[in-house]
């Protein structure tokens, strides 16, 4: 249940929402009936709503608030750039210093050989760009039939037409006749939910082998690329078994296809490395980026591209693709300052050596709760599986919506924790400290207790 509304401004804003605003990923009838929670300010890892409630944001906005709310350096970077050059496009053989300096700064931290960046306004646009660039690349190589891109079920690669098609979420595919042609999906490496009687190691190899089977089924001469998140974020923080990525690398080395890592969530320190590909030792040909690039302060995304691909593109004339706001100077200036903060304050290193190990240790204490079937996590990512039977991994009936029950208790008790089905997930700001982690875990346990009392009676 939502808390009572006492501030007249809250009612006014909720009326505006009902009368004028169409929100993303929302049940409009439900939203109109209940009204949105109105977030009015933020600082550090905390939000405040229009009713004055303080909330620990354990989702970093939408996975993106890396350096925390209220960083004046990012505000000043935006203001300074707005005064000097608020906008100019990067079409028609023009550029500006912020976008060029940002491209170099990203190349300096990206895995070896990934030295070129195509900028977009979001991760969704980055994956649209990837699809077009991959197919253009193979056409230039004299292999125009290599168009098919393999992705994974329950993956999330954005909500544009191409991004939603690349993703493997059936609810998105059902709206809009998706996926578009030329995109196929293989099972996800989700041992807890789909591993059955296999050990995690056995299941990891099995899931990876589905890639080879799909390549052979489609035809090597038709497969252009494989796209995957190092860790599936919106799908429920799906962390592959240790056996998964080594076998995937073997398969990728065997066939003439490109590997695209969607680093929109894992990039810029979330795993304790600069990129999830660094964490797993993968060597992608392209990496989609967004979110942590600017810590969410302004919209920006991109596609980092391997040198060998760019050498082919250089021989191909115009690449007829782009966005008005590709490499927007204000976004680029904010991203540059955000990267400076991450580097100079050694935030990624601190996540790796101090706060992430502490978070993972504290989170796993929740495994003793009667509702919890598994706790898993890497870096500043975590998942808590809610189950009816801990031994068999049996779920609650779907009509109980146990995950949403838990989410509601979290929201009403000062914690934002997201529900993906009956999986509760977190992704706190990278700057969260140990005391705030203690608060996060204490509130999570309180909300698990409230959920158990409601669903178990």
């Amino acid at each position: 249940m939502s808390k009572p509304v006492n501030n007249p401004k809250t009612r006014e804003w909720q009326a505006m929402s009902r009368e004028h605003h169409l929100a993303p990923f929302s049940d409009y009838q439900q939203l109109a009936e209940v009204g949105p929670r109105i977030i009015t300010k933020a600082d550090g890892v905390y939000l405040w709503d229009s009713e004055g409630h303080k909330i620990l944001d354990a989702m970093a906005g939408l996975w993106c608030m890396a350096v925390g709310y209220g960083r004046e350096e990012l505000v000043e970077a935006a203001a300074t750039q707005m005064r000097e050059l608020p906008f100019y496009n990067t079409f028609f053989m023009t550029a500006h210093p912020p976008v060029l300096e940002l491209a170099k700064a990203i190349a300096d931290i990206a895995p070896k050989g990934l030295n070129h960046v195509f900028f977009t306004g979001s991760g969704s646009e980055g994956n649209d760009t990837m699809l077009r660039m991959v197919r253009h690349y193979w056409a230039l190589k004299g292999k125009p039939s290599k168009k098919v891109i393999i992705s994974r079920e329950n993956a999330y690669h954005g909500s544009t037409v191409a991004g939603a098609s690349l993703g493997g979420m059936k609810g998105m595919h059902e709206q809009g006749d998706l996926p578009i042609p030329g995109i196929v999906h293989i099972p996800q490496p989700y041992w807890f939910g789909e591993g059955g009687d296999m050990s995690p190691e056995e299941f990891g190899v099995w899931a990876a082998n589905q890639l080879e089977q799909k390549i052979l089924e489609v035809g090597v001469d038709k497969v252009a690329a494989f796209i995957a998140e190092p860790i599936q974020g919106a799908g429920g923080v799906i962390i592959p078994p240790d056996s998964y990525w080594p076998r995937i690398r073997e398969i990728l080395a065997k066939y003439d296809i490109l590997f695209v890592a969607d680093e929109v969530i894992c990039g810029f320190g979330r795993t304790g490395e600069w990129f999830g590909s660094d964490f797993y030792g993968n060597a992608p040909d392209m990496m989609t980026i967004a979110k942590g690039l600017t810590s969410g302060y302004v919209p920006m995304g991109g596609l980092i591209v391997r040198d060998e691909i760019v050498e082919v593109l250089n021989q191909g004339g115009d690449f007829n693709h782009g966005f008005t706001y590709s490499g927007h100077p204000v976004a680029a200036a904010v991203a540059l300052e955000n990267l400076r903060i991450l580097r100079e304050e050694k935030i990624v290193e601190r996540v790796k050596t101090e706060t992430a190990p502490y978070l993972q240790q504290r989170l796993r204490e929740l495994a003793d709760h009667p509702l919890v079937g598994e706790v898993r996590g890497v870096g500043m990512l975590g998942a808590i599986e809610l189950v009816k039977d801990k031994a068999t991994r049996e779920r609650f009936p779907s009509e109980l919506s146990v995950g949403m029950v838990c989410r509601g208790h979290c929201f009403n008790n000062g914690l934002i924790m997201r529900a993906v089905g009956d999986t509760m997930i977190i992704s706190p700001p990278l700057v969260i400290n140990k005391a705030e982690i203690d608060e996060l875990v204490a509130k999570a346990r309180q909300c698990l207790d409230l959920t158990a009392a409601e669903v178990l009676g």
Side-chain angles (χ1 to χ4, degrees), residues 386-456:
L386 307 184
V387 295
K388 183 178 180 181
D389 188 308
K390 293 165 73 80
T392 64
R393 311 200 296 267
E394 179 189 356
R395 299 286 191 180
F396 287 95
S398 59
E399 60 267 21
L400 290 181
S401 300
V402 174
M404 292 305 291
V405 170
C406 186
R407 178 185 178 274
H409 286 302
C410 290
F411 224 42
N412 289 328
N413 288 277
L415 177 65
I416 291 180
M417 189 158 61
R418 183 170 167 181
V420 177
D422 287 348
T423 306
M424 307 306 298
I425 60 176
I426 63 162
S427 173
L430 303 188
V431 294
I432 192 170
N433 62 37
K434 290 184 177 181
E436 292 160 345
I437 289 170
D438 290 340
E439 179 187 349
L440 189 164
V441 174
K443 286 184 173 177
R445 184 175 289 278
Q446 174 193 5
C447 296
L448 288 170
D449 288 344
L450 291 168
T451 303
E454 184 169 340
V455 300
L456 298 178

Side-chain angles (χ1 to χ4, degrees), residues 262-340:
D262 186 326
E263 294 271 3
V264 170
I265 286 173
C266 291
F268 305 103
R270 182 126 318 259
T271 64
E273 303 287 349
W274 276 103
F275 295 96
S277 296
D278 297 321
F279 182 85
Y280 284 110
N282 294 335
D285 297 293
M286 296 180 176
M287 298 198 313
T288 322
I289 55 173
K291 296 192 185 291
L293 173 60
T294 66
S295 282
Y297 276 63
V298 288
M300 191 175 220
L303 183 69
I304 314 177
V305 184
R306 187 165 291 282
D307 297 349
E308 291 85 347
I309 294 174
V310 175
E311 289 173 8
V312 174
L313 298 178
N314 285 343
Q315 310 306 314
D318 282 2
F319 178 45
N320 297 310
H321 176 81
F323 307 96
T324 300
Y325 302 118
S326 291
H328 192 289
V330 176
V334 171
L336 275 167
E337 183 64 10
N338 181 63
L339 293 182
R340 184 197 66 77

